[in-house]
Amino acid sequence: MRTFALLALLALSTAAYPQALRTPTSPVTTTVSTALEVQRLAPQLVAFAGGQANFDNLVNGLASGSPVSLTTMLPTGGTQVATFTPTGTMTTLQIAQTLENVRQSLITRGVGAPTAQQIATALTGGPLVTPAGTTAVNGVIATTTAATSVQQQSPAVAIQNTFGQAAAGASTSIRSQTSDSRFPRGISDSPASALAPVTPAPIAQPAPVAAPPATAPLRTR
């Protein structure tokens, strides 16, 4: 009986031994960025911001209170850059709600695809350019610095303008060196210089012709 009990105890201890060697593992947690969380709540805001880069800058700036920089490509080939710095921080839900409200506000004003300047103005307040004209709007967020907007010319456009100005200058130079006379080449239209008057030489008079000798009158009977 003792032998049987000893064998049973040994079997139980052997079965429990691998369990004791097992290391407890904690569940794997995945950190999701704030920009991704906002995008999941309102995916339409990516296109509203003008692309993924603008969207990430906008969300991260509103979430941390850091400077925001938005860039828009202009039809002329240059870029428009708008910057501002929010005051304080916002939660993911607050960011999604704020940006969606601004998007709807711009749509009602006829702006469906806003530029960087229009987004910055709608958020911080100021004169907003719309198809109906410029109107003053109140900001929906507080900022430590006023929104600024600058337009930068692309290198290709700058080079093109440089060549255009050079060509215009060259054409002017060439024009100034080309005669605009209405006379054919080789014939000058400049007035002749004044010459001293020349006295003509006297014309030689012909020698007088001698008169023929007089004839004696004829005698008549």
Side-chain angles (χ1 to χ4, degrees), residues 172-183:
T172 303
S173 176
I174 294 173
R175 179 67 183 85
S176 62
Q177 297 176 4
T178 304
S179 174
D180 57 354
S181 173
R182 63 182 181 276
F183 294 95

Side-chain angles (χ1 to χ4, degrees), residues 55-151:
F55 176 77
D56 292 344
N57 291 337
L58 187 57
V59 171
N60 293 333
L62 295 176
S64 61
S66 57
V68 176
S69 178
L70 305 175
T71 304
T72 299
M73 297 298 298
L74 299 176
T76 57
T79 56
Q80 181 188 85
V81 180
T83 58
F84 62 91
T85 303
T87 300
T89 60
M90 301 174 68
T91 65
T92 300
L93 183 59
Q94 288 174 336
I95 295 172
Q97 291 176 341
T98 300
L99 294 181
E100 179 58 22
N101 290 337
V102 169
R103 188 180 77 91
Q104 294 295 337
S105 175
L106 289 174
I107 291 176
T108 58
R109 289 181 166 87
V111 182
T115 63
Q117 183 180 12
Q118 289 171 324
I119 295 175
T121 302
L123 284 169
T124 63
L128 176 66
V129 179
T130 67
T134 303
T135 181
V137 296
N138 296 324
V140 295
I141 64 171
T143 59
T144 58
T145 58
T148 59
S149 176
V150 296
Q151 293 187 6

Side-chain angles (χ1 to χ4, degrees), residues 177-218:
Q177 297 176 4
T178 304
S179 174
D180 57 354
S181 173
R182 63 182 181 276
F183 294 95
R185 180 174 296 181
I187 300 178
S188 175
D189 59 349
S190 302
S193 58
L195 300 177
V198 178
T199 304
I203 301 175
Q205 298 295 329
V209 180
T215 57
L218 299 177

